[in-house]
Amino acid sequence: MALWICATCVNHHEGEQPPASCKICADERQWVPITGQRWTTLEELARDGHTVEFREQEPNLVGLGVKPGLGINQRGLLVRTSGGNLLWDPPGFLDDDAVRTVRELGGLAAVSSSHPHMYGAAVEWSRAFDAPILLPEADQEWMTRTDPAVRTWSGSLSPLPGVTLVQCGGHFPGSSVLHWADGADGAGVLLTGDTIYVTPGRDRVTFLWSAPNMLPLPERLVRQVVAAVRPYEFGRIYGGWWTSVLDGDAKQVVERCAERYVQFLRGDAPEA
């Protein structure tokens, strides 16, 4: 079966022909360009000069991004532990050089994603390393490729030493974060995708049903997200993009920003 990649969200689909539409983009949390649905392939992207860029974010945490930018332009993260490595929010493109680099960094013991917009090339990475794909059961219906490597979970899961996947809900029912206890020199780190969205000033976070369509998250779901991460200690947050890093007092910032967000939802925020 051929592999088709949505040019907008860069999720992968299999079939003799591309689907009529990408179900990820047709949902109200994403968008289809006014020019219509377009599909590409790994081969076409490689011919166009796309490569995978690796950058160390901190000790034992390596970012993976595609250049030139692609789709929603997410940056994946490789968490390295004594029990193996986990690839989080894999971008939609990979090639032999990228696989070789990850192999040099210790390979993969698991692949996971914060939510369906960032499933990307999860299956291709899984097959390259014979690694399970760990996805929340609540979002299984959004997986655009069936694969026997998919393992579902609910609530929380600790697949590697110091690593815990935490289901928060909100953006999607299965929207999740990864807690890495050893990160930030032992202060703890959250990898959030856009479940908890780091704002451009890198000193605040927000909560969204849809970023591109500017739809807010209801109070009930905001409080659900915050309650899910409250048991964990974290001083730093890495969102889904290179610049989406909140460095310092991250747990307090999440609590404070959630209350501010709810004030606006209720119409209680003071006028400027």
Side-chain angles (χ1 to χ4, degrees):
M1 303 289 278
L3 179 63
W4 306 96
I5 304 174
C6 173
T8 304
C9 72
V10 206
N11 270 285
H12 291 196
H13 300 66
E14 281 183 328
E16 294 181 2
Q17 299 294 327
S21 66
C22 169
K23 70 177 184 179
I24 301 291
C25 291
D27 177 72
E28 69 174 350
R29 283 160 286 202
Q30 185 50 20
W31 58 285
V32 177
I34 60 172
T35 52
Q37 177 71 54
R38 187 173 74 82
W39 299 97
T40 185
T41 64
L42 288 173
E43 293 76 17
E44 181 180 355
L45 292 172
R47 286 196 302 271
D48 289 344
H50 290 283
T51 59
V52 179
E53 177 184 16
F54 291 81
R55 300 183 199 171
E56 185 178 68
Q57 305 297 282
E58 62 176 82
N60 293 318
L61 186 70
V62 179
L64 292 76
V66 179
K67 63 176 186 179
L70 188 63
I72 60 176
N73 207 25
Q74 75 219 52
R75 178 264 292 113
L77 290 161
L78 183 71
V79 185
R80 306 177 70 194
T81 81
S82 60
N85 300 338
L86 185 146
L87 177 59
W88 176 255
D89 280 349
F93 176 78
L94 77 167
D95 56 16
D96 290 343
D97 287 343
V99 172
R100 188 176 306 112
T101 299
V102 170
R103 199 175 303 281
E104 292 169 355
L105 290 169
L108 293 180
V111 180
S112 191
S113 293
S114 58
H115 67 290
H117 293 154
M118 296 188 175
Y119 288 170
V123 171
E124 296 304 307
W125 281 109
S126 165
R127 292 178 179 177
F129 291 92
D130 193 26
I133 303 169
L134 308 176
L135 297 181
E137 184 178 3
D139 287 346
Q140 189 176 8
E141 64 178 290
W142 293 102
M143 188 68 179
T144 55
R145 299 175 70 187
T146 58
D147 193 274
V150 173
R151 305 284 187 271
T152 59
W153 59 277
S154 297
S156 65
L157 177 71
S158 298
L160 293 169
V163 171
T164 305
L165 304 175
V166 183
Q167 183 179 349
C168 299
H171 185 38
F172 280 81
S175 284
S176 306
V177 300
L178 183 152
H179 180 253
W180 178 35
D182 296 333
D185 296 321
V189 158
L190 280 188
L191 314 184
T192 66
D194 60 5
T195 301
I196 299 172
Y197 194 100
V198 178
T199 58
R202 299 171 64 168
D203 59 349
R204 295 176 175 86
V205 299
T206 193
F207 310 87
L208 296 166
W209 175 259
S210 169
N213 297 323
M214 293 180 284
L215 296 172
L217 204 62
E219 177 180 348
R220 173 181 62 84
L221 295 179
V222 173
R223 296 199 182 280
Q224 176 181 300
V225 171
V226 176
V229 302
R230 191 170 286 137
Y232 301 91
E233 296 302 320
F234 54 97
R236 183 175 296 150
I237 291 176
Y238 290 92
W241 295 268
W242 288 116
T243 58
S244 299
V245 182
L246 194 159
D247 192 6
D249 298 321
K251 187 170 185 176
Q252 291 73 24
V253 170
V254 168
E255 295 278 354
R256 184 170 65 249
C257 288
E259 291 305 316
R260 182 68 168 153
Y261 189 96
V262 168
Q263 280 186 320
F264 276 96
L265 289 176
R266 292 180 172 181
D268 294 338
E271 294 184 5

